[in-house]
Amino acid sequence: MTRVIESDVCIIGAGITSAMVAERLAERTGASITIVEAGGRTASLAERTHTRARMLAYGENPYPNDHIPDQTGTGEMYRQMVVGGSAMHWGGAIPRYSPEDFRLQSLYGLGFDWPITFDDLEPYYQEAEERIGAAGEQGPPDCDPRSRPYPMPPLPLSYNLARMREWTDRAEVPFWTQPWARNTEPYRGRNVCQRCDTCAVCPTGAKYTPDFALDQLLTAGRIDLIPRTLVRRLALEPGTDRIAVAEAVNRDAPDEPVEFRAGTFVIAGGHAWSSHLLLLSANSRFPDGLANRTGNVGRYMTGHWFVSGYIDLPMRLYPGIFVNNSLLSHRFASPGPLDRYVRHDIRLWESDVGRAPRLRNGDGSLLWGDEIMADWRERTESGATARIRAYYDVLPDRDSRLTLDGTNTNVLGDPMPRIDYRPDPTTLDLEDHTHTTILGRFEHLARTAGGSIMSTRSSRLYEHPGGGCRMGDDPATSVVDRWGRTHDHENLFVVGAPTIVSSGCANGTLTFCALSLMSAEEIGKGFDRT
Amino acid sequence: MPETRRSFLKQSVATVAAVSATGCAPDGESSRRTGDLSADDPGAGPAPLPAPTLRAVAEAVLPEELGAEGRERAVTAFERWSDGLEPVAELSHPYLVPETRYSGPDPRPGWAAQLQGLEKECRARHGTNLADLDVAGRRQLLARGVGQAGPGLGSAANANHIAVALMAHFFASPVATDMCYRRTIAKQQCRGLEGAPAEPEVLAARTNGAPSEGRRGALTIATGAAP
Ligand SMILES: Cc1cc2nc3c(=O)[nH]c(=O)nc-3n(C[C@H](O)[C@H](O)[C@H](O)COP(=O)(O)OP(=O)(O)OC[C@H]3O[C@@H](n4cnc5c(N)ncnc54)[C@H](O)[C@@H]3O)c2cc1C
Ligand code: SF4
């Protein structure tokens, strides 16, 4: 027999963007909210001390059961499908995008403008920072604009980072502390950071993970959370374009279908599964998938690439003091007028690369105990290593695409997603120039310190990915409007990562959260205020 | 499918370098037997690492600077770590890779066999137990087994030789880092935020509170806890 669950709002996915939408709607409206999540529960806060210890000792995954074995796509995508989503594992670096990111076409004549500006999003950035609990300091206002201070002071600069900042000040490149989703004060019932330095799994609860917010909403009776239930398809109200039902399967009882009926549906499935669900939901009215009248679902998949390296510094540092804090500069993401386009951020960490204990010395001779220690000491006393990385933006191409892969199905026979990312040709034209410019800046920093570049590499991994349901005012070139409402279905929203137009040169999750809150404001208009 | 791979690896026998450090099997067919034991009887625990031989190896491969007590703490920490090791455990997912990865098969039967083989070869070549052979002699025996390993120490669980496993485990510990820098860095130990801006304190020596002077005096450092 089919189990039917009714609510005003049905949110698909229980990751960080879902938590944002649910929290805002629960606080500001009287709407009944159901969240349906394909994954189950993973390690609770109490269990994370143990799973952390095993991660440190053996490299084990600190979040057991955080994925669904047969729900496996192809291409760069997160493995996690679990209550809390990928932000259970995240590092919690939460910079904002730069104002330029929203106006690339107007300012530089390439890429696309978003239908919103940085200023439109700014209040939602602030709100997201307050909900998450952001610890940060503002950089120079011309490249790090904000209307109000961070809710918490920044993580303190370690001895190592303070010495490194003296160096970058000499190079006249402004660096400041990376903003983090980690408490520097007790915040919303969570602990202060204890510098355990394993932020992938935080044993103290100082790092924000979405399960905290979801559990508070559950305790307050403001949401229903239905885990281990995979939505396979959205179906229309007969004769209309309105969504009537989310058809799902309880993974513990696959023969008993579950139907979610709601006035408003919100897809918060992250960058891959959101487009995937729309494509899977094809029907006779929408043969290419829901919200896909103009064929844009799954297109313009995007992320940023990076150039990274290690710098040899003539200074005495002590790697291990606080590896999980870093310095950030957005100076080159807000460069002003340019002869030739190149924008990127830069971040710096302490590192022991080139200065770790080793079994063989430079000649290849085998070393034993004291010899290893002596060789190690010599290399740590002769200088220190800084890790450096610059994210730069990749302009998305229309054919950068998520499709259904009929050759790879889950146990239910549903085709899994396949993502073939592709950069816009302009990005490829600019690639050498981008790399040369970034490496020149690394070189300048190294020289100012009296040091040298040890090694560099470039990566084409599409980090902090998004796209697939990009926002726009024109339905011919976009899937959702500025609020995340699909052009084709007035009661269907897609929130967060899938809706971005381009991915900037900074970690994306804070932006995904801000966009989700903006969507939540629009969704909330349909309900009484509480 | 990942699960199939996991089952396969779970059942597969750890024959990692089961041929001893000397290049000869520990005793006739015993490398095979060691393997058969865990393959035929998955319920059986791993072969225990012979404690005296392990300590004789540790004396040859861990820094003398640790002193006898420090070395014993390091070996005990290694034994606890080895006891808690789960072969073919699910590893942390690599960033943006939609696959599940697992650790390798159980290295412990191979390590135990290496230790037995070392004793056997030591008796054959030198007419003595490993513990009674001088450190230089022990290192000569160990060097052949270590083979081409390196240049990095790698992770202990992936070490193809018990000597490398012991060193990799110790040198990855907060104790070793503090010893190298002669400072209390206490990496990955929950330390509070307050101390972060300060230069780490000079490490006290047990004997007189002065900074450690090389191999004199064991250091007052905590042993990295096993989970
Ligand atoms: C190791 C790691 C480190 C990271 N560090 C950072 C960082 O420092 N800074 C940063 O900005 N970002 C970071 N990220 C990225 C960040 O975690 C993600 O951008 C963010 O969590 C995405 O949130 P989301 O809500 O969009 O999607 P997700 O977290 O993917 O959540 C979506 C949820 O929806 C569920 N779902 C999907 N489809 C269905 C369906 N059909 N039915 C039911 N449920 C469904 C999924 O199971 C999933 O749980 C990191 C990610 C990882 C893995
Ligand atoms: S450094 Fe802070 S946020 Fe990171 S794991 Fe430790 S306590 Fe948690």
Side-chain angles (χ1 to χ4, degrees), chain A residues 182 193-199 201-204 206-207 322:
Chain A
R182 305 180 195 154
C193 172
Q194 293 299 316
R195 195 162 48 108
C196 308
D197 231 357
T198 53
C199 302
V201 57
C202 172
T204 68
K207 179 187 81 168
F322 202 0

Side-chain angles (χ1 to χ4, degrees), chain A residues 50 52-67 69-70 72-80 89 155-160 162-163 183-184 192-198 203-204 271 316-323 352 355 357-361 366-373 376-377 380-381 391 421 461-465, chain B residues 1-3 60-66 80-86 89-100 102-103 138-140 142-143 146-153 157 163-164 167 170-173 175-183 185-200 212 214-215 219 226-227:
Chain A
H50 175 72
R52 168 187 188 265
R54 292 207 57 93
M55 180 189 77
L56 279 174
Y58 307 109
E60 288 175 11
N61 181 1
Y63 297 102
N65 308 316
D66 65 350
H67 64 278
D70 64 305
T72 302
T74 307
E76 287 148 35
M77 50 189 290
Y78 299 119
R79 185 70 178 129
Q80 295 79 11
H89 305 63
L155 283 176
L157 285 190
S158 66
Y159 176 85
N160 297 334
R163 301 289 80 71
N183 292 353
T184 51
V192 177
C193 172
Q194 293 299 316
R195 195 162 48 108
C196 308
D197 231 357
T198 53
T204 68
H271 85 288
R316 176 85 165 141
L317 300 179
Y318 307 96
I321 301 183
F322 202 0
V323 178
D352 67 356
R355 298 189 152 83
R358 58 187 182 180
L359 190 58
R360 290 183 191 275
N361 64 14
L366 187 61
L367 306 174
W368 304 106
D370 287 321
E371 295 160 344
I372 295 180
M373 188 56 87
W376 186 14
R377 269 194 191 126
T380 58
E381 283 164 5
Y391 282 127
Y421 293 93
L461 190 75
Y462 285 77
E463 297 227 358
H464 307 108
Chain B
M1 290 289 285
E3 275 54 37
V61 305
L62 295 182
E64 256 187 274
E65 186 179 341
L66 268 171
R80 278 211 308 271
W81 170 85
S82 162
D83 288 347
L85 191 150
E86 199 206 319
E90 187 183 308
L91 299 176
S92 291
H93 310 301
Y95 184 62
L96 282 173
V97 176
E99 283 165 19
T100 313
Y102 298 95
S103 59
R138 285 183 234 177
R139 286 179 177 173
Q140 255 178 18
L142 290 167
V146 168
Q148 295 309 305
L153 276 160
V164 179
M167 289 189 281
F170 169 71
F171 280 105
S173 69
V175 175
T177 300
D178 284 4
M179 186 185 266
C180 169
Y181 287 86
R182 299 190 173 102
R183 300 271 173 165
I185 296 169
K187 70 169 186 179
Q188 290 163 341
Q189 327 234 320
C190 301
R191 300 153 281 185
L193 288 177
E194 315 73 53
E199 186 167 14
S212 161
R215 56 187 60 174
L219 301 162

Side-chain angles (χ1 to χ4, degrees), chain A residues 83-98:
Chain A
V83 173
S86 315
M88 298 302 292
H89 305 63
W90 73 329
I94 44 171
R96 298 174 170 194
Y97 282 2
S98 303

Side-chain angles (χ1 to χ4, degrees), chain A residues 74-78 271-272 298-305 394-403 418-424 428 460-468 503, chain B residues 96-98:
Chain A
T74 307
E76 287 148 35
M77 50 189 290
Y78 299 119
H271 85 288
R299 292 188 181 270
Y300 299 104
M301 300 299 296
T302 182
H304 32 244
W305 293 347
V394 175
L395 307 169
D397 191 86
R398 185 163 194 271
D399 288 331
S400 184
R401 217 171 157 188
L402 181 147
T403 51
R418 173 190 174 90
I419 310 181
D420 295 292
Y421 293 93
R422 182 190 286 197
D424 174 274
L428 294 177
R460 282 188 171 185
L461 190 75
Y462 285 77
E463 297 227 358
H464 307 108
S503 63
Chain B
L96 282 173
V97 176

